[in-house]
């Protein structure tokens, strides 16, 4: 298990300040001019920490633009040198990793269509074995927490130290509002189980449009995510992929500037959310307990009726002692003290007698 101190330290590789770390750049690298112009404007506007571009694009159907390929990597390296910002690229096979390493790409990310496939993830993991490079793992397209965590573990097992995860939403055919449903509780559960890993939100792929980007980004900030990945293009309408969801560098900077940051460290929404889940479980158990007690009392009343018909006394001390002995033993197995069990049963028993008397 990670300690609290290392939790903080491990997140720090990604998140340098209270502000979320912003990753921006085009969905796809298309041409040298498009990459240069987009990245230069992003840098000039400030607010962005890491540049992104897709070089190999996993497209749903063949025939659309499948990425510029290796030709785009020198463009990213050029932007890294010129802007001084680290660059990140999606890799889906071992060959992609080798090419990225050759062109000094700083961070690799695993796409949603890759993290869904353990064979592909393992192949990439083998390709980075012994390499000191950070990896960001997008959630798989289907809402399977174990699969997402499993992909992360494959990189941990080959010795990758700096790992982060990207929440890009989950595919759902019935979904109309989002391109990929956020299922926030899935990301919250991830953060609860692995608090040492930076969590990045990808509002672009969650929304699939421009108008909801800000609301989703704000929600991620409210949940204390460590970063945002936002597709940014010099001319979004004419982008070769994901045209509907990309924004210009100017719109991006306004959006980031307008995000409202939390000020109260104590009031961590992730902690609050985890607490709320636990509280909901408690409430459910309390409800069940009350329903069960109700059932118990209705049986007591039936017994009262029987005793009345057979002219028996209500209180039968021997039976009460037997109940207590059995309950103490069961209590001990459940880490409940004799005192608590006695008090609880006495209260229940008193009520039971009252209810039986009312039958009399
Ligand atoms: C992307 O970031 O451009 C991309 C292909 O994302 P995802 O893997 O989340 O679909
Ligand atoms: Mn995209």
């Amino acid at each position: 298990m990670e300690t609290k101190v290392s939790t903080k330290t491990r997140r720090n590789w990604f998140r340098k300040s209270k502000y979320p770390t912003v990753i921006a750049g085009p969905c796809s690298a298309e041409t040298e001019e498009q990459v240069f112009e987009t990245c230069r404007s992003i840098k000039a506007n400030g607010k962005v920490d890491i540049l992104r571009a897709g070089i190999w694009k996993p497209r749903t159907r063949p025939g659309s633009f499948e990425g510029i390929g290796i030709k785009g990597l020198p463009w990213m390296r050029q932007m890294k040198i010129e802007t001084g910002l680290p660059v990140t690229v999606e890799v889906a096979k071992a060959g992609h990793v080798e090419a990225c390493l050759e062109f000094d790409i700083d961070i690799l990310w695993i796409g949603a269509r890759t993290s869904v496939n353990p064979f592909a993830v393992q192949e990439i993991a083998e390709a980075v074995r012994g390499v000191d490079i950070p990896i960001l793992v997008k959630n798989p397209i289907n809402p399977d927490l174990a699969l997402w965590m499993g992909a992360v573990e494959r990189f941990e097992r080959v010795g990758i130290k700096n790992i982060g995860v990207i929440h890009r939403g989950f595919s759902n055919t019935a979904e109309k509002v989002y391109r990929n449903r956020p299922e926030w509780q899935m990301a919250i559960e991830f953060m609860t189980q692995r608090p040492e890993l930076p969590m990045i939100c990808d509002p672009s792929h969650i929304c699939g449009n421009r108008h909801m980007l800000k609301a989703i980004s704000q929600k991620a900030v409210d949940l204390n995510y460590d970063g945002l990945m936002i597709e940014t293009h010099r001319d979004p309408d004419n982008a070769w992929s994901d045209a509907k969801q990309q924004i210009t560098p100017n719109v991006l900077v306004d959006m980031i500037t307008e995000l409202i940051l939390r000020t109260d460290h104590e009031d961590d929404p992730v902690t609050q959310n985890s607490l709320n889940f636990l509280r909901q479980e408690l409430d459910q158990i309390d409800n069940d307990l009350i329903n069960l007690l109700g059932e118990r009392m209705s049986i007591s009343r039936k017994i009262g009726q029987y005793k009345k018909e057979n002219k028996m006394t209500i209180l039968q001390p021997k039976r009460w002692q037997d109940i207590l002995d059995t309950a103490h033993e069961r209590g001990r197995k459940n880490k409940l003290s004799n005192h608590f069990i006695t008090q609880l049963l006495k209260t229940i028993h008193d009520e039971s007698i009252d209810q039986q008397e009312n039958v009399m």
Side-chain angles (χ1 to χ4, degrees), residues 145-206:
L145 187 63
L147 196 57
W148 193 5
M149 292 193 153
V152 167
E153 287 155 12
R154 287 177 196 279
F155 290 104
E156 289 175 323
R157 285 182 178 214
V158 295
I160 297 295
K161 302 255 173 327
N162 294 334
I163 300 178
V165 291
I166 304 176
H167 173 210
R168 51 79 77 195
F170 302 89
S171 163
N172 183 319
T173 45
E175 183 57 62
K176 296 279 184 298
V177 179
Y178 302 101
R179 179 177 173 195
N180 292 290
R181 240 157 102 128
E183 311 268 14
W184 293 101
Q185 78 286 358
M186 184 88 44
I188 289 164
E189 183 58 27
F190 199 114
M191 288 191 266
T192 307
Q193 288 194 35
R194 299 297 310 267
E196 77 281 13
L197 297 180
M199 174 64 76
I200 300 145
C201 185
D202 172 348
S204 307
H205 290 90
I206 288 178

Side-chain angles (χ1 to χ4, degrees), residues 33-78:
E33 301 76 59
Q34 170 251 4
V35 169
F36 286 7
E37 194 183 321
T38 305
C39 292
R40 283 174 184 150
S41 304
I42 287 173
K43 169 69 182 178
N45 284 345
K47 302 278 182 211
V48 170
D49 307 277
I50 300 168
L51 295 171
R52 66 151 274 159
I55 298 291
W56 301 278
K57 299 304 296 181
R59 302 312 295 277
T60 305
R61 303 186 72 169
S64 46
F65 175 59
E66 302 214 312
I68 200 71
I70 205 156
K71 192 176 153 193
L73 287 176
W75 307 339
M76 293 307 283
R77 180 168 61 184
Q78 176 62 28

Side-chain angles (χ1 to χ4, degrees), residues 185 272-288:
Q185 78 286 358
Q272 288 302 319
N273 267 300
S274 312
L275 265 186
N276 281 341
F277 284 137
L278 293 173
R279 283 180 183 141
Q280 277 168 19
E281 278 184 57
L282 280 189
D283 291 350
Q284 187 57 50
I285 292 175
D286 287 348
N287 280 340
D288 291 348

Side-chain angles (χ1 to χ4, degrees), residues 27 52 57 205 231 242 245:
C27 174
R52 66 151 274 159
K57 299 304 296 181
H205 290 90
E231 288 188 337
D242 289 349
Q245 70 198 30

